[in-house]
Coordinates of all heavy atoms in Angstrom, one line a residue:
L81 N -11.0 11.3 29.7 CA -12.3 11.8 29.4 C -13.0 11.1 28.2 O -13.9 11.6 27.7 CB -12.2 13.3 29.0 CG -11.6 14.2 30.2 CD1 -11.5 15.7 29.7 CD2 -12.5 14.1 31.5
A154 N -24.2 5.1 12.2 CA -23.8 5.6 13.6 C -23.3 4.4 14.4 O -23.6 3.2 14.1 CB -25.0 6.2 14.3
E165 N -32.2 -0.9 19.4 CA -30.7 -0.8 19.0 C -29.9 -1.8 19.8 O -29.0 -2.4 19.3 CB -30.2 0.6 19.2 CG -30.7 1.6 18.1 CD -30.4 3.0 18.5 OE1 -30.2 3.4 19.6 OE2 -30.4 3.9 17.5
A181 N -6.4 13.2 6.4 CA -6.5 14.7 6.1 C -7.6 15.3 6.8 O -7.6 16.5 7.2 CB -6.8 14.9 4.6
T202 N -16.5 7.1 19.0 CA -17.6 6.5 18.1 C -18.5 7.6 17.5 O -19.1 7.3 16.4 CB -18.4 5.6 18.9 OG1 -18.8 6.2 20.2 CG2 -17.6 4.3 19.2
I204 N -17.6 9.9 15.9 CA -17.0 10.4 14.6 C -17.7 9.9 13.4 O -17.7 10.5 12.3 CB -15.5 10.0 14.6 CG1 -14.7 10.9 13.6 CG2 -15.3 8.5 14.3 CD1 -13.2 10.7 13.7
E206 N -21.1 9.7 12.9 CA -22.1 10.6 12.5 C -21.6 12.0 12.1 O -22.0 12.6 11.2 CB -23.1 10.8 13.7 CG -24.1 9.6 13.8 CD -24.8 9.6 15.1 OE1 -24.2 9.3 16.1 OE2 -26.1 9.9 15.1
K214 N -18.3 9.5 3.9 CA -18.9 8.1 4.0 C -18.2 7.3 5.1 O -17.1 7.4 5.4 CB -18.8 7.4 2.7 CG -19.6 8.0 1.5 CD -19.6 7.1 0.3 CE -18.2 7.1 -0.3 NZ -18.2 6.2 -1.5
A235 N -7.3 -14.3 31.0 CA -7.1 -15.8 30.8 C -7.8 -16.3 29.5 O -7.3 -17.2 28.9 CB -7.7 -16.5 32.1
A239 N -6.0 -18.1 26.4 CA -6.4 -19.4 25.8 C -6.6 -19.3 24.4 O -6.2 -20.2 23.6 CB -7.7 -19.8 26.6
T261 N -2.7 -29.0 26.3 CA -1.9 -29.0 27.6 C -0.5 -28.4 27.3 O 0.3 -28.4 28.2 CB -1.7 -30.4 28.1 OG1 -0.9 -31.2 27.2 CG2 -3.1 -31.0 28.3
A325 N 23.0 -31.6 19.0 CA 22.2 -32.6 18.3 C 22.3 -34.0 19.1 O 23.3 -34.4 19.6 CB 22.8 -32.9 16.9
A338 N 24.3 -23.7 30.1 CA 25.2 -24.8 29.9 C 25.1 -25.4 28.5 O 24.0 -25.5 28.0 CB 25.0 -25.9 31.0
G343 N 25.2 -35.6 21.4 CA 25.1 -37.0 21.8 C 25.4 -37.2 23.3 O 25.5 -38.3 23.8
N376 N 29.6 -16.1 44.4 CA 29.9 -16.0 43.0 C 29.5 -17.3 42.3 O 29.6 -18.4 43.0 CB 31.4 -15.7 42.7 CG 31.7 -14.3 43.2 OD1 31.1 -13.3 42.7 ND2 32.7 -14.2 44.0
A404 N 38.2 -38.6 30.4 CA 38.4 -38.9 31.8 C 37.2 -39.6 32.4 O 36.1 -39.8 31.8 CB 38.6 -37.6 32.6
A420 N 42.3 -39.5 32.5 CA 42.6 -40.0 33.9 C 41.3 -40.5 34.6 O 40.2 -40.2 34.2 CB 43.2 -38.8 34.7
A422 N 39.5 -40.2 38.3 CA 39.5 -39.5 39.6 C 38.6 -40.1 40.6 O 37.4 -40.4 40.3 CB 39.1 -38.1 39.3

Side-chain angles (χ1 to χ4, degrees):
L81 301 179
E165 287 169 339
T202 46
I204 200 168
E206 284 168 288
K214 290 190 291 180
T261 68
N376 294 304

